[in-house]
Amino acid sequence: MSKKIAVLGAGSWGTALAMVLDENGHDVRLWGNNVEQMSEINNDHCNARYLPEIQLSKSIKGFTDLQLAVEGVDVVLLVVPTKAMRSVASQLADVLTSPVVIAHASKGLEQETHKRISEVLEEEIPSELRTSVVVLSGPSHAEEVAVKDITTITSASTNPAGAAFIQSLFMNRYFRVYTNEDIIGVEMGAALKNIIAVGAGALHGLGYGDNAKAALMTRGLAEISRLGVAFGAQPLTFIGLSGVGDLIVTCTSVHSRNWRAGDLLGKGHNLQEVLDNMGMIVEGVSTTKAAYELAKQKNIEMPITEAIYDVLYNKTDVKEVVSNLMTRDGKAEG
């Protein structure tokens, strides 16, 4: 049965998810605050900045008025940068008039509070305006979803019915969704893998090969799991789609902006040059700071995260941090 769905955030990922929903026969409204971009979506049926050469369906409608975008919808899917999530959620709460399923497909931790995105949504959107909060996450690049490449992701919620409902909206021949009740693990895996992707890119920029990349990803997954479990996540979640699956795709693909940022760092560019070059949000940069501070708070050893923090925030040379990691005292794997 067709549902009315508002997708808030018209970047590459929000647009790609809107395309999946539209193909599945739903009434999709895509919201953004750029008037020219929304005009392009409505009149030219494309989103040239974020998904060049991709033609959008004429039935996907762009909105700059949030109240109009969410009027009468069954679901609101937020796909905005982490730093904008609280502000957009607050605006959303002001215009909702009846309870809806709240979902998000963003990946990060709020900078100042270190909170997961679902926690931010629950704080800003009153319980009487939401039937459930669902996280959509997993190994996925918007560029590949937009051309209908095979993709599998996770729909996670403490409300199994909410997770299953979001699953049903997205499932089709090229887009498969599994449900999961461990919302903490799914969100932590989604956020923290971006840190490791920055490191993977840096190794490539330095000229290291597959051995180094495999070591970083494996030990990086151990760090992600340690921090996630400390906050209540289930260990097995991190060997699933939103853990190791998302880690693999983000650490091995040139589509990953976190990998590309790390690659530039490895080639000798400073952080500001990297961010200016990217032109888009690199979630791994702010997430590194949040994870570093959380690890200190919980007294959890995260040497890779600490090394990347030193590169990003203490301007330590990338080659130096790699040397420091490799010459630490020997220890048992775990």
Side-chain angles (χ1 to χ4, degrees):
M1 184 179 297
S2 175
K3 300 295 181 183
K4 294 181 179 180
I5 304 164
V7 179
L8 310 187
S12 55
W13 190 218
T15 304
L17 290 174
M19 292 174 67
V20 177
L21 291 167
D22 175 78
E23 171 148 328
N24 289 354
H26 303 296
D27 176 351
V28 182
R29 298 97 176 272
L30 188 56
W31 173 86
N33 54 22
N34 185 309
V35 174
E36 290 183 3
Q37 183 190 27
M38 292 304 108
S39 175
E40 180 182 67
I41 288 169
N42 288 327
N43 299 321
D44 301 326
H45 312 295
C46 66
N47 191 349
R49 178 182 177 186
Y50 293 101
L51 288 175
E53 302 179 8
I54 296 295
Q55 191 70 27
L56 302 181
S57 165
K58 294 180 180 180
S59 54
I60 295 177
K61 303 301 182 185
F63 290 79
T64 55
D65 186 315
L66 183 59
Q67 185 169 3
L68 287 178
V70 303
E71 185 176 3
V73 300
D74 302 290
V75 179
V76 177
L77 173 64
L78 293 95
V79 199
V80 299
T82 303
K83 69 176 185 179
M85 189 64 70
R86 189 176 291 276
S87 172
V88 173
S90 176
Q91 295 173 55
L92 176 61
D94 288 339
V95 297
L96 284 175
T97 57
S98 59
V100 298
V101 175
I102 300 292
H104 84 81
S106 300
K107 300 176 180 181
L109 299 171
E110 190 173 44
Q111 187 66 58
E112 299 302 323
T113 67
H114 304 156
K115 290 183 177 179
R116 293 176 288 105
I117 294 173
S118 66
E119 294 178 298
V120 172
L121 295 176
E122 288 170 349
E123 287 180 358
E124 294 297 329
I125 302 171
S127 57
E128 61 269 22
L129 292 176
R130 49 181 167 83
T131 58
S132 55
V133 174
V134 183
V135 179
L136 201 61
S137 187
S140 49
H141 288 307
E143 297 85 351
E144 296 184 3
V145 172
V147 296
K148 304 180 183 179
D149 207 340
I150 290 175
T151 302
T152 58
I153 65 173
T154 299
S155 171
S157 178
T158 55
N159 178 350
F165 177 65
I166 293 297
Q167 177 189 47
S168 71
L169 298 181
F170 280 95
M171 287 274 287
N172 63 29
R173 61 185 173 80
Y174 63 89
F175 201 86
R176 183 169 179 79
V177 184
Y178 292 84
T179 60
N180 192 320
E181 295 182 28
D182 181 16
I183 195 170
I184 298 174
V186 168
E187 286 187 301
M188 291 296 278
L192 299 178
K193 55 87 185 178
N194 285 331
I195 304 170
I196 310 305
V198 172
L203 289 179
H204 182 270
L206 287 167
Y208 291 106
D210 293 337
N211 290 358
K213 186 189 303 179
L216 178 84
M217 292 169 63
T218 306
R219 297 310 303 161
L221 184 62
E223 291 191 14
I224 292 170
S225 180
R226 280 200 295 268
L227 188 61
V229 168
F231 282 89
Q234 299 299 314
L236 286 177
T237 299
F238 298 106
I239 61 170
L241 289 169
S242 59
V244 68
D246 210 356
L247 184 67
I248 290 170
V249 80
T250 313
C251 288
T252 61
S253 174
V254 295
H255 289 316
S256 166
R257 66 189 68 168
N258 293 283
W259 185 95
R260 297 201 309 271
D263 184 50
L264 290 171
L265 288 168
K267 290 175 177 173
H269 296 274
N270 64 45
L271 179 58
Q272 192 56 55
E273 289 172 340
V274 170
L275 296 178
D276 291 343
N277 179 279
M278 296 296 295
M280 292 187 285
I281 298 293
V282 182
E283 291 284 7
V285 173
S286 58
T287 304
T288 297
K289 185 173 186 292
Y292 173 83
E293 292 169 352
L294 285 173
K296 294 297 183 186
Q297 174 189 321
K298 290 283 190 178
N299 196 29
I300 294 173
E301 186 181 18
M302 298 184 71
I304 296 172
T305 300
E306 186 169 341
I308 296 170
Y309 176 89
D310 282 340
V311 171
L312 296 176
Y313 293 98
N314 294 332
K315 300 181 180 179
T316 307
D317 184 75
V318 182
K319 293 179 181 177
E320 181 182 336
V321 302
V322 172
S323 177
N324 291 341
L325 283 170
M326 291 301 294
T327 56
R328 293 183 305 135
D329 290 342
K331 57 179 292 185
E333 186 177 17

